[in-house]
Amino acid sequence: MTPTVGVLALQGDVREHLVALASLDVQAIAVRRPGELDACDGLVIPGGESTTMAKLARIFDLLDPLRKRVAAGLPVFGTCAGMIMLADRVLDGAAGQETVGGLDITVRRNAFGRQVDSFEGPLDVAGLDGPVHGVFIRAPWVEQVGPEAEVLATVEGHPVAVRQGRLLATSFHPEVGSDVRLHGMFTELVRG
């Protein structure tokens, strides 16, 4: 059976993730409503602006259903702001910033600097043969990793890719470009 993988479609690189997922023999759908979330076997939370995304998730009545599905074991792949949305703890967040949580990490927003400090380059990721092209845009990094989380990649000593059970998160944007190996790693988590 072909799994259905949603992309949280409140803002960010929604189309790019849908294209990457569609190339991996899954049914890729945009998720804007709780009923669409219910249809998903896995979910991608894309990059964007984490405080805005959390506010929109609250407005669209998605935040609490997302928390329940993650707590129940839904596989989720968070990229950049998506990593922040999955983090249990956020540093340098907006006052009262909410997250979905589930990933036992402390993440620092905009840790690599502002938009002008964005960078890209090859990055070794555990579990993948050969480096991926990491695109970091106002990217967070992981300050602290809980005992259940596994670090898959680092930059300058800071974790930038982590996995915990069926949750995967990167502080960079694997949806940019044509390398879908990280999306493939995630869809394997979905297929379980």
Side-chain angles (χ1 to χ4, degrees):
M1 183 173 147
T2 302
T4 299
V5 179
V7 178
L8 188 64
L10 301 177
Q11 67 158 177
D13 286 348
V14 176
R15 186 185 64 79
E16 291 83 351
H17 280 293
L18 288 170
V19 169
L21 290 167
S23 73
L24 293 168
D25 196 27
V26 299
Q27 181 178 358
I29 65 169
V31 172
R32 294 183 186 87
R33 297 173 184 83
E36 293 162 340
L37 177 63
D38 291 343
C40 292
D41 301 303
L43 181 74
V44 173
I45 303 178
E49 212 294 314
S50 61
T51 55
T52 301
M53 196 178 299
K55 288 177 183 174
L56 291 172
R58 175 66 70 198
I59 290 168
F60 285 87
D61 293 325
L62 277 167
L63 195 56
D64 291 330
L66 277 168
R67 288 173 172 156
K68 288 178 184 169
R69 290 293 310 272
V70 170
L74 179 71
V76 182
F77 181 17
T79 63
C80 198
M83 170 186 262
I84 296 169
M85 291 289 286
L86 284 176
D88 283 344
R89 297 165 299 278
V90 178
L91 300 176
D92 295 337
Q97 180 168 354
E98 295 186 277
T99 70
V100 173
L103 193 52
D104 186 11
I105 60 171
T106 302
V107 67
R108 183 178 297 279
R109 288 180 69 227
N110 302 328
F112 286 103
R114 304 172 64 102
Q115 190 88 15
V116 295
D117 300 310
S118 300
F119 63 99
E120 55 189 273
L123 179 66
D124 291 323
V125 177
L128 297 179
D129 292 331
V132 300
H133 187 72
V135 177
F136 294 81
I137 304 168
R138 288 179 38 204
W141 68 44
V142 178
E143 286 275 350
Q144 186 178 32
V145 179
E148 301 299 318
E150 173 188 7
V151 175
L152 302 180
T154 62
V155 170
E156 299 173 4
H158 300 285
V160 295
V162 294
R163 176 180 165 185
Q164 178 181 326
R166 300 179 89 186
L167 302 178
L168 176 67
T170 65
S171 61
F172 53 95
H173 292 266
E175 74 279 11
V176 176
S178 58
D179 186 345
V180 296
R181 289 178 293 161
L182 276 161
H183 289 83
M185 180 186 286
F186 174 62
T187 58
E188 290 306 310
L189 293 176
V190 174
R191 291 185 170 95

